[in-house]
Amino acid sequence: MMAPLLEVNNLTKRFDRRLPPVVNDVSFAIEPGEIFALLGPSGCGKTTSLRMVAGLESVDSGRIRMGGILLEGNGKPVPAENRGIGFVFQDYALFPHMTVNRNVGFGLRRLPRDERRRKVRRALDLVGLKASAEAMPFELSGGQQQRVALARALVAEPKLILLDEPFSNLDAVLRETTRVEVRNLLKSTGMTTLLVTHDQEEALSFADRLVVMNEGRIEQTGTPEEVYNRPRTAFVSRFLGRTNLIDGEARGCMAETVLGRIRLDRTIWGRVLVSLRPEHLTLRPWDERANRPPGVIVGRAFKGHDITYRIRFPDREWLVHTDNRTQFQTGDRALLAALEPGVVLDDPPDSVAVSTPPEPAEIAAGA
Ligand code: ATP
């Protein structure tokens, strides 16, 4: 394994002495060329973490090291402008009265003209905007403006790029295409990137690895697949998508639950809290010979390629996400079955209310 490009150890920051730290003992490491995301709800401390990495916010304690150089941690922070870090923020912050060319070249004013021109041209080429070099920012779409901001960050040849909610000002369609373009571009240049976002889908589709933050702390670090499929806590499982939480009595790799005996993703004994994603469950027809009472379908949302059902049992409701061949109608009786092992969470079973996922509006009425 390569040495990490950025290493953050035990980073802590408190703005108000009477409150818990807004960034609390945060550690992570980013490999060269990796796209890494800090994901979490508003106020969880991700922007403050990013600003400390950038050198825009002082650090209370902890260490930040980049390429083996200590940026923070010995009481002599390296100034932001000497860190070799580029930024792209949510609001692009392009100079409105300057052409794209001049916006991108702004930070290179001290270089000889020819060298500056060459670098600006290369950066604009990279983001696919060479033809817009003489345009003014207002003549460009939001996605194009965001690519100019990226070119402006890349032109300085930073070792690390920080992206703070860079796509949140774009409408849904543009957001998705810009995200794909920017990701391909960062990957083609081998740029190491730290993204901050509160958008789960964005983090899951954009990052190679991510941390999920909650109230200043890291809840989990992993690849998108790991954190989605193997959430360690109820917070992570709910923050990354909808899930059904159940408790059960574990005996090794199985547990007795209200669904009957289910497989678990690890070996454990005693009472456990288990997460089952809607797409890891399925429905089976019920008949008199079944040895369990049926549930009743109370909601159904057909979305073309898939269907989301809500099924009611006497004690609670469940969400089940199936392919479009699993056909039940509202009012049908059905049995629930787990297709994948239940994921055992670290939370003690009584610490989290076992519940049905939030009602998706479209199936509330049993449409
Ligand atoms: P958002 O997505 O809403 O920006 P975030 O996860 O990035 O959320 P931060 O911006 O890091 O969160 O803020 C974390 C907490 O620190 C918040 O409660 C915020 O009010 C507080 N905070 C941030 N900056 C300051 C500051 N300069 N002075 C005092 N409190 C601050």
Side-chain angles (χ1 to χ4, degrees), residues 47 70 116 147 177 194 232 238 242 259 289 325 337 353:
T47 298
L70 200 60
R116 189 174 70 218
R147 271 150 53 202
T177 51
L194 176 56
R232 290 266 48 93
R238 285 171 168 161
R242 286 183 272 156
L259 281 187
R289 286 162 296 170
R325 289 169 302 222

Side-chain angles (χ1 to χ4, degrees), residues 15 22-23 40-49 57 164-165 196 198:
F15 287 108
V22 298
V23 176
S42 181
C44 73
K46 24 186 218 304
T47 298
T48 304
S49 303
E57 192 72 71
D164 191 355
E165 304 273 3
V196 156
H198 65 274

Side-chain angles (χ1 to χ4, degrees), residues 32-334:
E34 193 174 33
I35 299 183
F36 195 88
L38 303 181
L39 169 69
S42 181
C44 73
K46 24 186 218 304
T47 298
T48 304
S49 303
L50 191 86
R51 288 172 56 79
M52 288 193 278
V53 170
L56 300 173
E57 192 72 71
S58 66
V59 166
D60 286 354
S61 62
R63 272 195 332 211
I64 302 175
R65 195 186 283 275
M66 192 164 79
I69 295 169
L70 200 60
L71 300 181
E72 297 278 357
N74 60 358
K76 283 182 278 178
V78 173
E81 61 276 17
N82 297 343
R83 292 191 177 196
I85 294 179
F87 312 91
V88 180
F89 295 118
Q90 181 176 342
D91 56 4
Y92 331 131
L94 299 181
F95 299 114
H97 56 286
M98 284 187 195
T99 62
V100 165
N101 240 335
R102 288 189 53 215
N103 261 289
V104 175
F106 189 77
L108 307 179
R109 279 158 306 170
R110 272 175 256 144
L111 291 183
R113 209 166 82 175
D114 281 354
E115 193 181 345
R116 189 174 70 218
R117 281 194 174 159
R118 195 164 39 78
K119 287 191 172 195
V120 169
R121 207 174 309 134
R122 216 180 61 207
L124 283 177
D125 199 18
L126 205 59
V127 301
L129 284 176
K130 215 162 54 173
S132 305
E134 295 307 321
M136 300 301 281
F138 72 85
E139 296 176 278
L140 303 177
S141 72
Q144 288 171 322
Q145 290 183 39
Q146 193 56 307
R147 271 150 53 202
V148 176
L150 188 63
R152 191 177 52 181
L154 290 171
V155 80
E157 295 167 13
K159 297 192 203 78
L160 172 72
I161 287 252
L162 307 180
L163 305 176
D164 191 355
E165 304 273 3
F167 311 113
S168 55
N169 278 350
L170 306 175
D171 67 53
V173 175
L174 199 54
R175 192 179 314 152
E176 201 163 327
T177 51
T178 310
R179 203 193 284 160
V180 173
E181 282 167 7
V182 169
R183 183 174 207 286
N184 291 344
L185 200 139
L186 292 167
K187 280 291 165 193
S188 71
T189 57
M191 183 54 72
T192 312
T193 306
L194 176 56
L195 166 79
V196 156
T197 181
H198 65 274
D199 180 326
Q200 300 84 334
E201 194 186 306
E202 183 162 300
L204 292 174
S205 62
F206 196 80
D208 299 318
R209 283 191 309 136
L210 60 134
V211 301
V212 182
M213 288 183 70
N214 180 26
E215 296 181 351
R217 290 185 176 276
I218 291 184
E219 291 258 337
Q220 191 168 353
T221 308
T223 63
E225 286 81 0
E226 282 164 357
V227 293
Y228 183 83
N229 288 326
R230 306 280 298 267
R232 290 266 48 93
T233 63
F235 175 83
V236 173
S237 72
R238 285 171 168 161
F239 190 68
L240 291 182
R242 286 183 272 156
T243 198
N244 301 281
L245 298 181
I246 52 170
D247 51 23
E249 188 66 30
R251 293 194 197 98
C253 55
M254 309 291 270
E256 294 298 337
T257 70
V258 289
L259 281 187
R261 183 173 299 170
I262 63 163
R263 285 180 299 146
L264 297 177
D265 70 329
R266 58 175 150 142
T267 304
I268 186 167
W269 275 262
R271 279 199 69 214
V272 286
L273 184 67
V274 175
S275 160
L276 279 164
R277 294 251 181 243
E279 66 272 27
H280 294 164
L281 292 171
T282 195
L283 298 173
R284 308 234 191 270
W286 180 85
D287 67 37
E288 315 296 333
R289 286 162 296 170
N291 56 6
R292 280 188 285 144
V296 178
I297 307 290
V298 293
R300 177 182 190 274
F302 178 73
K303 297 178 205 141
H305 43 70
D306 52 35
I307 309 177
T308 303
Y309 291 101
R310 180 170 280 266
I311 179 167
R312 181 175 298 160
F313 286 85
D315 57 334
R316 62 175 287 175
E317 292 181 1
W318 297 73
L319 275 192
V320 184
H321 199 73
T322 71
D323 61 34
N324 61 11
R325 289 169 302 222
T326 307
Q327 287 287 354
F328 289 87
Q329 299 305 325
T330 314
D332 284 354
R333 293 196 278 193

